[in-house]
Amino acid sequence: GSDDIIAGNVSKHIVLPAGYCGQPKKGHLIFDACFESGNLGRVDHITEFEYDLFIRPDTCNPRFRVWFNFTVENVKESQ
């Protein structure tokens, strides 16, 4: 659930639609936060244009999640 503890950052995580089998194609987004100050802990695919992003809390202050830092690759033109 959304209350799960998020322990680490996503690292070149390819988000595929539920039930999709095969190689990722253009538009299947690749999220990455495996770098200093990256804080994206989990990504859930909702629709082609909607994702739920779960941000890890700040290391020095776990009560706050006021910033985010991650990259997104493999977008298609209309996305």
Side-chain angles (χ1 to χ4, degrees):
S2 61
D3 294 333
D4 293 343
I5 295 173
I6 301 170
N9 290 328
V10 297
S11 179
K12 295 290 183 180
H13 178 66
I14 302 170
V15 182
L16 300 173
Y20 180 83
C21 296
Q23 293 291 334
K25 56 185 180 180
K26 199 74 166 167
H28 291 158
L29 300 183
I30 302 170
F31 291 85
D32 186 36
C34 194
F35 48 85
E36 186 175 350
S37 78
N39 67 338
L40 183 61
R42 191 174 97 209
V43 180
D44 294 344
H45 180 269
I46 305 301
T47 69
E48 180 181 3
F49 301 104
E50 183 179 356
Y51 298 81
D52 281 344
L53 306 177
F54 296 84
I55 304 301
R56 289 188 319 97
D58 190 314
T59 304
C60 296
N61 195 346
R63 292 181 49 215
F64 297 104
R65 297 171 196 211
V66 296
W67 56 273
F68 54 90
N69 193 3
F70 58 90
T71 64
V72 180
E73 301 174 40
N74 203 39
V75 298
K76 61 183 177 184
E77 186 176 325
S78 64
Q79 202 171 14

